[in-house]
Amino acid sequence: MQFIDLGAQRERIRDRLKAAIDRVVDDGRYILGPEVTEFENKLAAYVGTKHVVACANGTDALLLPLFAAGIGPGDAVFVPSFTFAATAEVVALAKAEPVFVDVEPETYNIDIASLEAAIAMIKKEGRLKPRAIIPVDLFGLAANYEAIMAIANREGLIVIEDAAQSMGGSLDGTMCGAFGHVGSTSFYPAKPLGCYGDGGAMFTNDDALAEKLRSFAFHGKGETQYDNVRVGINSRLDTLQAAILIEKLAILEDEMVARQAVAKRYAEGLGDIVKAARNLDGSRSAWAQYAIETPKRDGLKAHLGEKGIPSVIYYVKPLHAQVAYRDYPRTPTGLAVSEDLPKRILCLPMHPYLSEADQDRIIETIRNYIGSNSAHVAAA
């Protein structure tokens, strides 16, 4: 059993992938070939933004908007602590400071009250200038952008949506990637929309911002690559990866429907014995991961492993507790949820090709373990 089954997807579109790769190799335009623009245009149409700017990876997709906004030393950027390191890493790389905010216990996304407290603290201290918020659509579920944008507009902050896990997800009819002033995503192979290597993209409706992002991603180019108007980096999506992503984008919506069915089956099969993730009103998660919570997590994980069922703990430690980030500011109201989740959370196999039989075996194994241990506890 696979935690994420890329092989099943590959078999589904094998001929189309092979033809796409052969076209690029035969054409010979490996850098910024026509497939890159074609993919950008098709992804923009899918997400519903005016511009998509492809880049080399998801980390650069978060870093480049910081460069474009001129964020640097003396600036504060508010990020959730319960997420992957890249969200805070890019802030430090830009020489600004990440300010860690707690997450909501139900959605695992940035907590609005915690965010408000963190902004007020930074303003009162006066050492840093609040500049941006990077909400994460954790595990594929969109953050509370209505509340986040209201705060951002009031405080004059830039919102960079970290949609690395949420391509294909939506909230109230708006696709993930289209929220905030700029959205960022990753095409790491295990993502809902992933390539066969590294890749990333940025989304915006702002013409001037899109032009800046393209410039920073291509050595700060102006009219040509030999006209350098700013200090940039080298961050391009390879033509081969764009060709692969075109074929994967073509089946993404179909895969999203399948992911919803898998998530629904988990929620119905496990919701009475563990805390099981569900879509919230108006939302469609991309289900990059499917998370459950139980105080019996460690024993359950070991038991699943013995039965040949993979599971992963996302995340073992919140960012504010990591050696690299423990000295950065954090919200004054504490990070209790971010600190508690690593003790309880467990992610189960989740992909569009998970069979009902395999999923039922996962559910039955979990139910048997939790039920058996509950009975022992009751008997004692």
Side-chain angles (χ1 to χ4, degrees):
M1 188 185 298
Q2 300 292 315
F3 186 71
I4 297 173
D5 193 349
L6 296 178
Q9 182 197 59
R10 186 174 62 250
E11 286 303 312
R12 176 180 178 180
I13 55 174
R14 176 182 289 276
D15 292 345
R16 287 157 54 185
L17 287 171
K18 186 176 186 304
I21 291 167
D22 285 348
R23 279 195 301 272
V24 174
V25 174
D26 290 344
D27 183 61
R29 286 181 280 181
Y30 308 120
I31 302 294
L32 297 180
E35 286 82 359
V36 177
T37 299
E38 180 185 351
F39 172 64
E40 288 178 337
N41 290 340
K42 286 183 173 178
L43 186 58
Y46 178 76
V47 172
T49 56
K50 189 173 181 181
H51 301 281
V52 166
V53 180
C55 62
N57 55 68
T59 304
D60 286 354
L62 290 169
L63 179 62
L64 289 162
L66 295 175
F67 287 168
I71 290 172
D75 292 335
V77 179
F78 302 90
V79 302
S81 186
F82 190 72
T83 187
F84 183 65
T87 312
E89 179 181 50
V90 295
V91 180
L93 287 172
K95 307 302 182 186
E97 293 192 29
V99 180
F100 292 110
V101 177
D102 209 0
V103 296
E104 298 171 342
E106 297 303 318
T107 67
Y108 311 138
N109 287 330
I110 202 163
D111 181 276
I112 300 305
S114 181
L115 173 63
E116 289 273 31
I119 293 170
M121 176 192 76
I122 293 299
K123 289 170 67 177
K124 183 178 180 180
E125 287 178 352
R127 183 177 66 86
L128 300 172
K129 180 180 180 181
R131 289 294 308 279
I133 308 167
I134 308 182
V136 178
D137 303 333
L138 203 73
F139 302 157
L141 185 69
N144 183 355
Y145 287 102
E146 183 179 0
I148 291 166
M149 291 307 297
I151 294 169
N153 291 335
R154 185 191 75 213
E155 301 291 341
L157 306 178
I158 296 160
V159 175
I160 303 169
E161 177 191 4
D162 186 341
Q165 300 181 18
S166 62
M167 280 294 94
S170 64
L171 175 63
D172 295 330
T174 299
M175 298 298 289
C176 292
F179 294 102
H181 299 95
V182 56
S184 303
T185 199
S186 166
F187 303 127
Y188 182 79
K191 301 297 185 186
L193 179 60
C195 57
Y196 288 160
D198 272 316
M202 297 159 287
F203 308 81
T204 186
N205 293 314
D206 185 320
D207 295 346
L209 178 56
E211 186 179 344
K212 267 190 177 182
L213 293 171
R214 288 195 187 279
S215 174
F216 274 108
F218 198 160
H219 300 292
K221 78 179 185 70
E223 292 299 319
T224 73
Q225 68 194 82
Y226 303 110
D227 171 35
N228 306 109
V229 297
R230 50 180 62 90
V231 177
I233 61 175
N234 176 20
S235 185
R236 299 183 291 255
L237 181 69
D238 292 341
T239 309
L240 276 169
Q241 300 298 350
I244 289 163
L245 284 163
I246 289 168
E247 300 306 327
K248 290 196 171 193
L249 179 60
I251 62 170
L252 179 61
E253 192 58 28
D254 186 51
E255 290 184 332
M256 279 298 123
V257 173
R259 286 179 184 269
Q260 305 312 309
V262 173
K264 185 171 184 285
R265 198 174 188 87
Y266 272 141
E268 291 175 350
L270 295 172
D272 62 325
I273 57 165
V274 298
K275 185 176 178 181
R278 299 175 185 270
N279 278 319
L280 303 180
D281 289 344
S283 70
R284 181 178 81 166
S285 176
W287 297 115
Q289 304 292 345
Y290 188 86
I292 62 171
E293 290 180 48
T294 173
K296 303 179 177 68
R297 193 273 313 279
D298 290 345
L300 174 61
K301 187 178 190 310
H303 181 69
L304 289 171
E306 291 168 2
K307 300 295 184 181
I309 298 171
S311 62
V312 180
I313 300 170
Y314 292 118
Y315 294 92
V316 174
K317 187 188 294 185
L319 294 184
H320 72 275
Q322 302 278 1
V323 171
Y325 301 105
R326 63 190 178 194
D327 293 330
Y328 286 107
R330 56 188 71 174
T331 186
T333 51
L335 294 146
V337 179
S338 297
E339 290 169 354
D340 184 59
L341 282 173
K343 306 169 190 173
R344 305 169 49 84
I345 200 163
L346 187 66
C347 292
L348 305 178
M350 165 52 82
H351 57 84
Y353 306 98
L354 186 62
S355 70
E356 289 187 356
D358 279 349
Q359 193 175 7
D360 286 344
R361 185 163 78 87
I362 296 166
I363 292 168
E364 182 182 9
T365 302
I366 293 171
R367 293 193 69 87
N368 288 343
Y369 179 82
I370 298 290
S372 171
N373 278 267
S374 296
H376 290 159
V377 171

